[in-house]
Structure formats: structure tokens, C-alpha cells
Amino acid sequence: MRGLAFSGGGARGLAHIGALEVFLEAGLDFQVVAGTSMGAIVGALFAAGKSPEEMLALARKTPWLGLLGLSPREGVFSRRKLKDFLAEHLPETFSGLKRSLVVTAVDAVSGRLVFLTQGELPSAVLASAAYPGLLAPVEREGRFLFDGGVLDNLPVDAARLLGAGEVYAVDVTPERAVEEVPRGLLALARRAVDLMQVHLTSVRLTLYAPEVYVRPSLQGVGIEDFRRLEEIVEAGRQAARAALAKVGGV
């Protein structure tokens, strides 16, 4: 079976739409989808049967930052609007999907990586996208879960778990180097998480190498830069074309 692995990366994860568009245009099909954080959102939409064109149209009309309302009780942001968005566009459970899906999350108590493959779908995707410090953990089946990108930001291993023998991985993990010094405590905290993800992703790639690795050029694009949608999606297209050309796929 052929699988996809979509990394987390906030707005940068919209590049998955462009990469997926190129893959499908090249005649590729995927039976397994694995995603983390924004990669879980895009991956779930694809597993539900949404085409790249439909996802791009949805992304264009969605006020992404507007889905995150301030909430001193829950965290920096509220999960309610994002949860409603997921419930509107996804099946109620994993069983309603057209492709096999796994999303990653982290158990806040045990500290263990969790692969979510069944049960209620919107809460699973929401848990995978619950960025530490910005969104509160999601209580699901007796566990408190948050962003899977903390431990596994490019879930090639999760795709393998579902039986994928050939994995196409799209990695939008933030770059190791940045253009300027982060300003403010929140920006520094985000930078610390980014660096942790960079190092962990590098290590995990040596352990779980995909057959095709796609790394869109997104230097200077932040996780909150949803206004740069068209640029981000095009970066995904270009990187996918280059990766397929490298392996003789086009």
C-alpha cells in the first residue's frame, strides 16, 4: 500500500494541499494517510474524500486565525470554533472515512506518543492540533492529549503502522535557522518548540525514512502566516514536482 505522511507546521501545513495536487495529477493514489497537527487536518480532509481543489477552496474562505478566539480559561486560544469547523467538514467517526487515517497526539500525563485510528474523528484531529500553550489539551477516552508534533511531527512510522509499504512524506517543520531574533516570551517559547521539532524530526527520519521526501521551501513563513496561502500552496506544488522528478515519477 502507498501512504502519505503530512507534518505539522500551522499555516505552513497548507503546502500539503499543493503537494497532494501534484501527486494526484501524476496518477498516484494513496490508501493510507498519516498526519500531525495541520497535517492531521489536511490529511483527514483528504481521507474523507475531499480533493485538493475542494480543500484549497475551503482554505481560501476559512478565516484560520478567526477559528482561534482568546480564552483565558482554556489557554491562549479557545478550541470551540476549530472544533466546530472540524465537525462541519469531517465525518463523525473514523469509520466514515474513505481512506485509512492515523493522527498523532501526545498523552499529557504519561508523556507517550499516541496513534489515533478509531472512534470520534473531530476530537482526534483537534487533539493532534492542540499546540502546547496555545490550545488546551483535549480530553478523549479518559486521556488528555495535545499536539503530536511534540514527539512525532512527520509520522512516517504511523503510516507504516497502517500497512503502508511506500510512504510519501511532506515535511513543513520550521527551519533550523530563522531570519531574526524572536521577540517576546511567547515567540521564544514557540521557537523552542520549533527547534525541538527540527531535531526530533531529523532523528526520526533516520529511523523511519520515507520512500519519497518532500520539503517545501518556506523560509520566513511562520506558523501563523495564513495570509500567504497561495504562496504556501505553490511551494508545496514545486517541492512535490521536484521530488517526483528526482525519483522518476514524472
Side-chain angles (χ1 to χ4, degrees), residues 20 105 118 127 132 176 186 193 246:
L20 182 57
Q118 58 187 357
R176 187 184 306 270
L186 182 57
V193 173
K246 186 175 180 180

Side-chain angles (χ1 to χ4, degrees), residues 52-114:
E53 293 74 22
E54 289 173 317
M55 284 188 275
L56 183 54
L58 179 61
R60 285 171 175 158
K61 71 178 184 180
T62 298
W64 292 99
L65 293 178
L67 295 180
L68 303 174
L70 290 175
S71 174
R73 288 187 307 163
E74 293 186 40
V76 176
F77 297 109
S78 169
R79 300 175 311 216
R80 182 179 59 81
K81 290 184 179 180
L82 180 56
K83 183 177 181 180
D84 290 345
F85 170 84
L86 295 172
E88 179 182 356
H89 297 288
L90 294 174
E92 184 177 346
T93 66
F94 279 82
S95 62
L97 294 170
K98 297 182 179 180
R99 294 176 172 86
S100 296
L101 173 72
V102 53
V103 299
T104 68
V106 176
D107 187 316
V109 177
S110 70
R112 294 177 179 172
L113 180 66
V114 178

